[in-house]
Amino acid sequence: MNRIQAILTLDMDNIPSNFQEIIKQEQEVVAQWKAEGILEHLFLRQTKNGAVLIFKDIDEEKARELMEKLPLYQLKKSVEYLNLIQQF
């Protein structure tokens, strides 16, 4: 089973005034992905400037497509994608 790790870093110098509303929208999207079984894990970064998402059973192209739909994606500083292989 393949995994794609997406590391999202936000541009914290340019956070809009409706940031809390964007967070709420983000949580709804993430909940949908978890319900669909394509998002395995979501970790908030300790520095509070982004998140790490672990997608499963999709390829990197699909992960990139999904990430662009995240409300917080518009506030990104960078996104890094890593293809992972789970060791058993």
Side-chain angles (χ1 to χ4, degrees):
M1 232 185 283
N2 69 312
R3 301 286 191 275
I4 306 294
Q5 177 176 324
I7 304 169
L8 172 66
T9 302
L10 300 177
D11 181 1
M12 299 304 288
D13 294 330
N14 294 300
I15 297 300
S17 59
N18 67 334
F19 185 68
Q20 290 306 317
E21 180 62 31
I22 296 171
I23 293 291
K24 184 179 176 187
Q25 294 168 357
E26 182 92 358
Q27 291 169 337
E28 292 169 4
V29 172
V30 166
Q32 176 73 32
W33 290 351
K34 284 185 176 183
E36 293 173 9
I38 56 175
L39 183 66
E40 187 170 44
H41 296 290
L42 169 69
F43 299 96
L44 300 179
R45 294 172 55 177
Q46 191 173 24
T47 54
K48 298 182 182 177
N49 68 340
V52 177
L53 298 90
I54 309 288
F55 293 99
K56 65 179 182 177
D57 299 330
I58 62 171
D59 60 19
E60 184 176 333
E61 182 179 339
K62 180 66 175 176
R64 288 177 181 270
E65 208 175 280
L66 289 169
M67 287 295 291
E68 289 176 9
K69 294 178 182 179
L70 280 176
L72 285 176
Y73 187 84
Q74 305 310 314
L75 306 176
K76 76 179 182 329
K77 186 174 190 177
S78 66
V79 182
E80 183 180 357
Y81 298 91
L82 300 170
N83 289 278
L84 306 173
I85 300 170
Q86 187 173 6
Q87 184 177 358
F88 295 98

